[in-house]
Amino acid sequence: RDGFFLNKTYLLWLPLLPHSDRSLVRFSLWSLNIGSKSAGWCFCVSGDGHPKESSPFINSSAATDAEKSQQYDGKNMALFEEEMDTSPMVSSLLSSLANYSNLPTGSKEHEEAENNEEGARPSKKPLGTLMGVYLPCIQNIFGVILFLRMTWMVGIGGVFGSFIIVFMCCSTTMLTAISMSAIATNGVVPAGGSYYMISRSLGPEFGGAVGICFYLGTTFAGAMYILGCIEILLIYIIPQAAIFKIEGLEGPEAEAALLNNMRVYGTLVLSLMALVVFVGVKYVNKLALVFLACVILSILAVYAGVIKTAVDPPVFPVCLLGNRTLLSKAYDVCAKVIEIDNETVTTKLWSSFCDSDSLNATCDDYFANNNVTEIQGIPGVTSGILAKNLFGNYLEKGVIIEKRGLASDADPDSPPTSSNRYVLADITSFFTLLVGIYFPSVTGIMAGSNRSGDLRDAQKSIPIGTIAAITTTSTVYMSCVVLFGACIEGVVLRDKFGEGVNGNLVIGTLAWPSPWVIVIGSFFSTCGAGLQSLTGAPRLLQAISRDGIIPFLRVFGHGKANGEPTWALLLTASICEIGIIIASLDAVAPILSMFFLMCYMFVNLACALQTLLRTPNWRPRFKFYHWALSFLGMSLCLSLMFICSWYYAIVAMGIATCIYKYIEFCGAEKEWGDGIRGISLSAARFALMRLEEGPPHTKNWRPQILVLVSVDAEQNVEQPRLISLTNQLKAGKGLTIVGTSVQGTFLDNYAEAQRADQSLRKLMETEKVKGFSQVVISSNLRDGTSHLIQIGGLGGLKHNTVMVSWPRNWKQPEYHQQFRNFIETVRETTVASLALLVPKNIAAYPSNGERFTEGHIDVWWIVHDGGMLMLLPFLLRQNKVWRKCKMRIFTVAQMDDNSIQMKKDLITFLYHLRIDAAVEVVEMHDGDISAYTYEKTLVMEQRSQILKQMHLTKNEMEREVQLIHNKNASTPTSPTSPTSPAGPAGAAATWTDNKGADKGTALLSPGPEAGKDFFNMKPNQIDVRRMHTAMRLNEVITKKSKEAKLVLLNMPGPPKNRVGNENYMEFLEVLTEGLNRVLLVRGGGREVITIYS
């Protein structure tokens, strides 16, 4: 500061105490700055080297560390300062929640930020209940069916039957709306509509399946609206525009021409609409109010017309021949002949039924025998026609539409002639068909929830707006059913295309002031509805794709730079074209009814489950719901699906099931806190409580395996083939727990335990083992293994079998603790009455991808173990790896056993067990103990005593072992053994009684001659007998099963005291010497297999 360091910049680093008070540090630096009278800045940087999260939401990173330090200064919260990073202050949490903006992304969780590619959205004024929910629902519910098929439905089904249909469908949507309101008000619902609600309530599997169904329903709805638009255009507005001319065609030919016209024009209109949606959806939204106005004006025109019929009914004459309705184009005057200038002249109608215009021409019999009458098509609401239209009049395809109650002279045996002059039924009608055709007219109740991102208060607007819209539309529909039946003649109602009233739209004949109000209004409303479907369906598919739960749909999550779903629009147009090719409105309507009904069914299911499970997070603001109402709505939806079309229902459910299974096996793992998890928890708790009632019956016993594995320093599993073997044993479908232990303390080694757990999970997924992983942290691995054996499982769902690998290199000094841990594990499983499986040479076992085309699985049944030796090979042979292997069972006969009878009994036993295996009884006679056996036992005991008593260092152990090895190597081998292996290097302990141990201790008393006494020891006789048994059994097993793919044999029990641990391991080594794959088995002390059914 005195000028020595002019024009220099320095950074002064002052290390502070870890827990220094921030305000004190900042004050000290400020004092230093002022006191030095230097111009500069003071920075106070605090931290422990770990990144901190400062947002009120845990694991979010919205605020910087500087903001955090300012946030906590002066708050008098020093007591909680250490927890501020993970447990935010209430004030900051509330502040962030208050500033939360609901992003209408639809495909992302509401905690995530909007994709940067989409850019900043212009701020929109939040919508209220009327504009945001009520009117969009009205526009989506009222549609093509009301204008084109409602009158026909009333004529065919009758007022009574139609009212039942409308009431059922409206009740279904009302109950669904109640359930939807409960779900929508249970927290903030981002845009995404029913897909979001179902997926977050029922999980990704149900959400994806129902989301796809809702998408397909919306797409086919677009096709239905386009077909309705073309029908209005070609039949009622410009019939001359038909490319395939219908004039002069009859029956199937005329029908085919009409369908072909629908296909051509439908494809053109679909292409045009898709182009409009691609260019800019904003134009569609701007026209939405215009289309809505057309719908409302059309409905008001109908009500005005009904009122007018009470005063002045409109003139719409219908001409009948007998009781048959004539086509309006078949006549000019509704009469056979007319008087012109006192001259009787035949009419066009006469020419249609007679061979000439003359009065003496030959005419159709029915024409000659019946009179022509003219009736009013719309007699008016006060005419009393309602009584005649109360009941249905279902027709077969091609049947002439007749007026009931009118006399007719017809020969019942002769088929009708000149049928092309009458109005005919175009399809066979029945009650269930009417349900399928009508139901699409009540869909659209999700329009409000789809806009939840734009609503001012979605939790208030969605229930009120949706229920009000359904109430309004249901009232309109029910009143229309009654009013149509009260105002319009039955033959006109059953005339689907208005062929008897000069080709007018039937509902248009009722409208005031002109039929064109309905025609033009319905045309524009169907166009608008089609555009809305082509706009909404791609966005729904994009939302599903961006959720990532269906991998093969991910490509449809991409779009233009502004987020428009280009690829999804292309797929939507392609699927919509399928509906256009079907070409019949009556055939397409039941298809989309299936998908919508399935969607509504799962909305009701979601609400019912959440209510019954009483999850803590289920707190809807909408209180007027009940699980019984949701179940009633779900039952109605399921019933309507099969009422509409049972085969369509099966196909729709099959599609949903396939998608469900695909997501379950291949989809992304998502945890959305859904209700299915709640069901799983409740079902698991119930099942576990039931399992506690008692041990399983022998018939239900299956290996519930605890697999004990070890991990290396990188927390990777050292014996992965253990998991492969476990998978091959899982034909029993029992429980699998893969456990390991990490040495250390919980506080210091928790991260290592987590890595080990991830490693176990990854290996289990690779090996396709369904089960659980468990990692414990303990001060030593021995206690950790003991803890796993004790605490594995839950309640009655506990392991009954432990699988542990044979300790490799156990004879080497650095692996002594490993084999001691192994023997302690054997003891603990014995005490706990658990079965034990010990695969030896586990690296030689096959992987799950290998296949044995031949070979044997040999079972050496020496002592009875409850049937484990019989059950395990049976389970293995259920797996593809071992399926081609044959099973052989060997048992050992002693001197006083009848080997022939033993074989017969064993064959009978296997027959009753339903196990297919070859049987062989091996006779083992008591022979003299060879000198080699004495020698091998002596070497084992000498080495055990030396290493146990002298506690040698590693180098000293190696020298002493080599000394023993050299001395015994000079001894000639026994002639009874083909080879005489030298004493193995390594440490062991003696498996003797206390006297032997004391004797060994005396022999090993320190002194200058001690080394000489070691080689004068005599082997313990018990050890000699055991070594003799092991060698004889190994000799027999090697002779019979040398080439076997797998050998299973009984595992001897461990010594009662710990003095003989090393000898126990040596006996097991001798027993399994020369065998490639050995599975040592110890039973759990109970029968696991039975001959009874």
Side-chain angles (χ1 to χ4, degrees), residues 704-739:
Q704 322 272 19
I705 304 176
L706 168 63
V707 187
L708 298 176
V709 298
S710 57
V711 293
D712 56 20
E714 300 298 326
Q715 311 305 324
N716 295 318
V717 178
E718 292 182 335
Q719 309 98 355
R721 289 295 169 87
L722 272 179
I723 313 299
S724 304
L725 179 61
T726 304
N727 180 55
Q728 294 156 24
L729 277 169
K730 291 318 291 177
K733 303 292 184 184
L735 171 73
T736 300
I737 303 174
V738 181

Side-chain angles (χ1 to χ4, degrees), residues 13-26 29 42-54 64-73 81-82 84-85:
W13 182 263
L14 299 179
L16 301 173
L17 292 176
H19 300 290
S20 301
D21 184 80
R22 291 172 179 153
S23 59
L24 178 60
V25 171
R26 192 172 289 110
L29 290 173
C42 294
F43 301 95
C44 178
V45 182
S46 63
D48 56 0
H50 300 287
K52 300 293 185 181
E53 307 292 348
S54 53
T64 63
D65 287 342
E67 291 172 348
K68 179 180 66 179
S69 62
Q70 295 174 5
Q71 184 178 359
Y72 297 147
D73 280 344
E81 190 173 82
E82 293 298 326
M84 289 294 187
D85 298 320

Side-chain angles (χ1 to χ4, degrees), residues 808-1025:
R808 296 178 303 158
N809 305 321
W810 65 270
K811 297 179 182 180
Q812 298 180 11
E814 58 266 29
Y815 293 100
H816 281 183
Q817 190 59 43
Q818 186 181 16
F819 84 75
R820 290 192 180 97
N821 292 347
F822 169 76
I823 296 177
E824 289 301 307
T825 301
V826 178
R827 288 193 176 101
E828 288 175 356
T829 56
T830 304
V831 171
S833 298
L834 299 175
L836 179 66
L837 308 179
V838 182
K840 196 166 181 286
N841 302 329
I842 187 63
Y845 277 66
S847 66
N848 289 326
E850 297 179 42
R851 301 286 185 273
F852 287 131
T853 56
E854 60 181 0
H856 294 92
I857 299 176
D858 286 355
V859 177
W860 284 84
W861 193 19
I862 300 172
V863 294
H864 183 57
D865 58 353
M868 281 288 290
L869 283 173
M870 305 291 182
L871 185 62
L872 292 176
F874 170 78
L875 296 177
L876 282 174
R877 292 184 67 235
Q878 308 303 307
N879 189 274
K880 294 179 180 179
V881 177
W882 305 92
R883 187 167 293 165
K884 299 292 181 65
C885 294
K886 304 295 183 181
M887 183 175 167
R888 297 188 301 189
I889 297 181
F890 298 89
T891 189
V892 177
Q894 302 297 323
M895 280 292 294
D896 52 351
D897 291 330
N898 185 342
S899 58
I900 298 175
Q901 188 61 38
M902 281 179 64
K903 184 173 182 179
K904 290 181 179 179
D905 293 342
L906 184 54
I907 291 173
T908 304
F909 181 57
L910 291 177
Y911 174 79
H912 289 301
L913 288 177
R914 292 88 64 200
I915 292 178
D916 184 19
V919 174
E920 185 172 343
V921 178
V922 178
E923 295 182 354
M924 284 187 62
H925 303 294
D926 290 337
D928 294 334
I929 298 175
S930 65
Y932 175 64
T933 303
Y934 276 101
E935 178 190 354
K936 197 172 182 67
T937 308
L938 181 62
V939 171
M940 175 185 70
E941 292 186 351
Q942 286 175 348
R943 184 180 65 250
S944 300
Q945 291 293 352
I946 291 171
L947 299 181
K948 179 176 179 61
Q949 299 298 330
M950 299 183 68
H951 301 288
L952 302 178
T953 63
K954 181 178 179 181
N955 292 333
E956 290 171 331
M957 276 192 283
E958 291 177 354
R959 284 199 302 270
E960 289 296 333
V961 168
Q962 187 63 36
L963 177 64
I964 299 172
H965 174 75
N966 293 338
K967 179 172 179 63
N968 288 280
S970 61
T971 306
T973 59
S974 169
T976 61
S977 176
T979 59
S980 181
T990 310
W991 188 6
T992 62
D993 55 14
N994 292 331
K995 292 181 180 180
D998 296 338
K999 181 180 177 181
T1001 305
L1003 285 169
L1004 288 170
S1005 58
E1009 302 297 325
K1012 296 178 182 179
D1013 292 337
F1014 292 143
F1015 307 109
N1016 297 325
M1017 292 172 56
K1018 292 183 179 180
N1020 181 278
Q1021 292 303 311
I1022 297 177
D1023 288 344
V1024 171
R1025 291 205 318 271

Side-chain angles (χ1 to χ4, degrees), residues 392-468:
N393 188 11
Y394 299 100
L395 304 173
E396 295 286 336
K397 182 177 180 180
V399 171
I400 299 171
I401 295 177
E402 300 176 345
K403 178 175 172 58
R404 288 182 295 187
L406 195 63
S408 173
D409 185 4
D411 185 0
D413 297 328
S414 62
T417 55
S418 303
S419 59
N420 60 327
R421 306 291 184 262
Y422 303 110
V423 178
L424 305 176
D426 66 321
I427 60 172
T428 300
S429 54
F430 39 90
F431 180 81
T432 57
L433 174 73
L434 299 185
V435 176
I437 292 175
Y438 172 75
F439 188 80
S441 66
V442 297
T443 60
I445 63 173
M446 300 290 185
S449 61
N450 290 341
R451 295 167 176 254
S452 58
D454 300 325
L455 298 176
R456 185 182 299 113
D457 185 358
Q459 297 192 12
K460 175 183 176 183
S461 298
I462 289 177
I464 296 175
T466 306
I467 293 175

Side-chain angles (χ1 to χ4, degrees), residues 221-234 237-238 241 243 260-278 284 291 522-532 534 569 572-573 576-577 580-581:
M224 183 188 73
Y225 290 130
I226 291 173
L227 290 175
C229 170
I230 301 304
E231 183 176 310
I232 294 170
L233 180 69
L234 293 181
I237 299 179
I238 316 175
I243 297 175
N260 287 332
N261 285 321
M262 302 283 278
R263 293 184 181 107
V264 173
Y265 278 99
T267 304
L268 293 175
V269 171
L270 173 62
S271 304
L272 181 62
M273 286 185 176
L275 183 62
V276 170
V277 173
F278 177 77
V284 178
F291 298 140
S522 60
F523 176 76
F524 282 112
S525 70
T526 50
C527 288
L531 281 172
Q532 293 284 356
L534 288 179
L569 176 62
T572 301
C576 197
E577 179 64 22
I580 299 296
I581 291 173

Side-chain angles (χ1 to χ4, degrees), residues 332-457:
D332 49 359
V333 179
C334 186
K336 293 182 180 180
V337 294
I338 55 174
E339 295 287 337
I340 301 179
D341 298 332
N342 295 325
E343 183 180 356
T344 303
V345 179
T346 58
T347 61
K348 182 181 178 181
L349 184 62
W350 181 283
S351 303
S352 300
F353 288 92
C354 301
D355 56 3
S356 68
D357 293 340
S358 62
L359 292 173
N360 58 356
T362 303
C363 297
D364 180 81
D365 290 341
Y366 188 84
F367 179 78
N369 296 333
N370 291 274
N371 295 323
V372 175
T373 55
E374 187 177 69
I375 61 173
Q376 280 299 321
I378 303 179
V381 72
T382 58
S383 63
I385 196 71
L386 178 63
K388 298 181 180 179
N389 291 331
L390 277 179
F391 301 102
N393 188 11
Y394 299 100
L395 304 173
E396 295 286 336
K397 182 177 180 180
V399 171
I400 299 171
I401 295 177
E402 300 176 345
K403 178 175 172 58
R404 288 182 295 187
L406 195 63
S408 173
D409 185 4
D411 185 0
D413 297 328
S414 62
T417 55
S418 303
S419 59
N420 60 327
R421 306 291 184 262
Y422 303 110
V423 178
L424 305 176
D426 66 321
I427 60 172
T428 300
S429 54
F430 39 90
F431 180 81
T432 57
L433 174 73
L434 299 185
V435 176
I437 292 175
Y438 172 75
F439 188 80
S441 66
V442 297
T443 60
I445 63 173
M446 300 290 185
S449 61
N450 290 341
R451 295 167 176 254
S452 58
D454 300 325
L455 298 176
R456 185 182 299 113
D457 185 358

